[in-house]
Amino acid sequence: MSTLALSLSVARSTTFRLELELEVEEGVTVLFGPSGSGKSTVLSCVAGLLRPERGRVSLSGRKLFDDSEEISVPPHLRGIALVSQEGLLFPHLSVLSNLRYGASRALAKAGKLGEDEVVSALELEPFLERRPRELSGGERQRVALGRALLSGPDALLLDEPLAALDRERRARIVPYLERVRARAKVPILYVTHALDEALALGERACVLCEGKKVAEGSPIEVFGAPRSELLARLS
């Protein structure tokens, strides 16, 4: 079973420091917390976009970052896909070409999801020839997810992928994310501050506040019976 293991220490300002120890197994681990708690900083460190001052990041035993050994694997060699809330796509390419760009970056390996499977799971057939400007926000997010999956990642990072959508559109796209969870047998770290998303998608949850982990466990354990006044306010 694939596991993403993190031990991070990074200062973002003179008053804020992120300190986190976390293991992300196959399936969805929700990273939950208010804005400014350090959630996106975690993803940036894992993806290799931000270098921690101290710590380690490993994926299935492969060291991606280790300050003690001066290891820092470049982002494009980590085998990790990051999907942001903007669902960024190449505007000059069709949906199909955007998807195939992801596939062109995939490493050859057994079990990689194929184009037909991803297109079917995310119901992308009706707009394969469209350009991103012709899509709704939810459709762009589905295409961004599809491109990420076709890149054959060993881990998937989702940075508030539904934050730019209204409640109705968020509700429509959650089933597609559930299909991604079922089909992508990799660790998925899902950042959100929306409790409904955390409960619908998460198999495990980690709650951050001011750069520190304040709770960890199953979503029911974490959000069903808050163990502190702080967590009660957050949920």
Side-chain angles (χ1 to χ4, degrees), residues 31-35 39 160 163 191-198 234:
L31 198 55
F32 185 88
S35 297
K39 305 185 301 297
E160 301 199 65
V191 162
T192 185
H193 60 261
L195 182 57
D196 57 343
E197 291 175 38
L234 293 177

Side-chain angles (χ1 to χ4, degrees), residues 32-79:
F32 185 88
S35 297
S37 59
K39 305 185 301 297
S40 294
T41 297
V42 173
L43 295 198
S44 294
C45 290
V46 175
L49 305 176
L50 177 67
R51 183 185 177 96
E53 293 167 40
R54 298 186 303 278
R56 298 176 302 282
V57 178
S58 66
L59 181 54
S60 300
R62 183 167 68 97
K63 293 181 179 179
L64 305 180
F65 176 80
D66 191 323
D67 71 293
S68 67
E69 298 183 29
E70 298 186 353
I71 294 172
S72 185
V73 175
H76 66 285
L77 297 178
R78 293 196 175 200

